[in-house]
Amino acid sequence: MSKYFVAALIVAVLPLAAMAEPRSISALGHQISIRPSPAGSELLEVDSRVLLSDLHIDIRETGVLSGVAFAVGERNEGGNVCEGSIFIVSMPSQDFARLDGPLDSCETGSYQVEAEQIVVTTPASGSHDGKRWVWTPAGFSAPSPVK
């Protein structure tokens, strides 16, 4: 094996190794972790309970609404079919964390944290309506169309 091949192999593998590192944050006494699974996907754990498994999982923001801690995240199955979808983890102080979503959407969604709710939208296009969901600590509303 040439030294150039070995160097190229190291450069190709290093980014994968870096992505496999567990990521962890705390939110109001709850521990949120994203770690690699033996199958090659990522696992979302809250307080050592697995809530979600997917190819790629990110936490975008944490906060509190109506006294309930939340984390807004996005998951992606990989490939070119879906761009990802948003989910929200609610973490009541005296109960287990609950996963709401991932939303039934392949569109890149945006979200806005408001005083009493989180609004998630996907954009409309020339061929179809977008969607709008409202999340409260009780869960997501049914989607409504966005023209």
Side-chain angles (χ1 to χ4, degrees), residues 9 11 34 38 42 47 51 63-64 70 83 86 94 97 99-100 105 107 111 113-114 118 138 142:
L9 185 61
V11 169
I34 300 170
E42 292 184 329
D47 301 330
L51 297 182
V64 178
F70 70 86
E83 294 188 36
I86 290 176
Q94 301 299 320
L99 177 70
D100 292 318
S105 172
E107 304 290 329
Y111 69 92
V113 178
E114 298 177 353
I118 300 172

Side-chain angles (χ1 to χ4, degrees), residues 11-97:
V11 169
V13 172
L14 278 178
L16 297 175
M19 289 182 357
E21 292 295 318
R23 302 177 311 271
S24 183
I25 58 173
S26 292
L28 285 176
H30 294 274
Q31 191 64 33
I32 303 169
S33 300
I34 300 170
R35 64 175 180 83
S37 76
S41 60
E42 292 184 329
L43 300 173
L44 171 68
E45 293 182 343
V46 179
D47 301 330
S48 300
R49 284 185 50 219
V50 175
L51 297 182
L52 180 65
S53 174
D54 222 321
L55 185 63
H56 186 74
I57 300 171
D58 279 322
I59 297 297
R60 302 282 183 209
E61 181 174 350
T62 61
V64 178
L65 279 177
S66 302
V68 176
F70 70 86
V72 178
E74 184 176 62
R75 66 95 172 138
N76 191 307
E77 299 172 331
N80 296 327
V81 176
C82 263
E83 294 188 36
S85 59
I86 290 176
F87 62 84
I88 297 177
V89 176
S90 60
M91 299 167 280
S93 61
Q94 301 299 320
D95 205 354
F96 291 114

